[in-house]
Amino acid sequence: MPPAAQQYAGTAQAYPGVAQAYPYQAVPAYDPMNPYGAFAPARATGNGFSIAAIVLGCVAVLFLPIVFGPAAIILASVGKSRGERRSTVALSVAGGGMTLGFIVGVLVAVLM
């Protein structure tokens, strides 16, 4: 047996000289919904930040839009960074609620 063949005689490597990426576990299966494989960030399982942002955006229409509007936008942004499913809706409601709250406040101040 040549010396190069003796070197790899007892190993179970598929290709000599190439180390396995996962030496003690199976290679993760390909998931067509996750093109980044095992290294993609995990999506959040809940929608807590998004729901809180939607509620604050609705409250901002009638009460203190200068306080509740930015709080809703911040919560929606946190939800977006965590990958929550309803974060885009929450961001829209937060911005719209704050804007509509300012408009309602100006109309009330002018008409009274």
Side-chain angles (χ1 to χ4, degrees), residues 4-109:
Q6 288 176 353
Q7 180 183 0
Y8 299 111
T11 63
Q13 290 182 345
Y15 300 101
V18 178
Q20 283 184 312
Y22 302 96
Y24 300 109
Q25 51 184 253
V27 177
Y30 175 73
D31 182 11
M33 298 303 290
N34 189 1
Y36 299 107
F39 303 107
R43 290 184 60 92
T45 57
N47 289 311
F49 286 103
S50 298
I51 292 172
I54 290 170
V55 169
L56 286 180
C58 292
V59 169
V61 173
L62 297 176
F63 305 108
L64 296 172
I66 199 163
V67 174
F68 291 119
I73 290 174
I74 289 170
L75 286 175
S77 300
V78 170
K80 189 125 181 113
S81 69
R82 291 178 53 135
E84 293 183 355
R85 298 176 77 191
R86 290 181 171 80
S87 60
T88 306
V89 173
L91 204 53
S92 302
V93 170
M98 184 175 68
T99 304
L100 192 60
F102 282 132
I103 292 171
V104 168
V106 168
L107 287 175
V108 168

